[in-house]
Amino acid sequence: MAEFSKEYAKVVEWSDYDFSYLDIFDTLEEGHYFSAICEGLGTFGIHKKNGVPYLVITYDGELAEFSTFMTNFKKIQELKDQKKKH
């Protein structure tokens, strides 16, 4: 069954979600990660590096800084929404 993060649900304006990456991040020790797949974002988990949240974006463990990833994801969603209207 698919699971979705609170952060994804907020972008697509859903009220239902299964977990929050940022809530998980708050519980992580420095240098640790937590595996949680968000089907909507296409991400595999959250990692705490130098006090900054990073999303795990590949099976191999590649990271993307959380706020940059989410900003770009929101922009893509906005473009998709605009395209649907035309």
Side-chain angles (χ1 to χ4, degrees):
M1 186 168 157
E3 291 193 339
F4 299 95
S5 68
K6 179 179 180 180
E7 295 76 18
Y8 172 77
K10 185 177 177 181
V11 171
V12 298
E13 299 177 351
W14 284 1
S15 59
D16 193 28
Y17 57 88
D18 301 291
F19 63 92
S20 169
Y21 277 131
L22 292 180
D23 288 348
I24 294 168
F25 174 79
D26 288 341
T27 68
L28 288 176
E29 293 181 33
E30 181 60 41
H32 289 190
Y33 74 95
F34 186 85
S35 178
I37 295 173
C38 174
E39 296 287 334
L41 295 175
T43 51
F44 300 93
I46 186 106
H47 181 81
K48 187 179 239 179
K49 184 176 177 182
N50 298 320
V52 177
Y54 287 83
L55 291 171
V56 181
I57 59 170
T58 68
Y59 285 118
D60 295 330
E62 291 181 58
L63 302 175
E65 194 272 329
F66 180 86
S67 63
T68 302
F69 182 95
M70 290 306 299
T71 297
N72 288 323
F73 184 81
K74 289 174 192 175
K75 287 178 183 177
I76 291 168
Q77 289 305 118
E78 289 169 1
L79 289 172
K80 285 181 181 179
D81 291 343
Q82 288 175 0
K83 198 172 192 179
K84 286 180 187 177
K85 291 178 184 177
H86 297 309

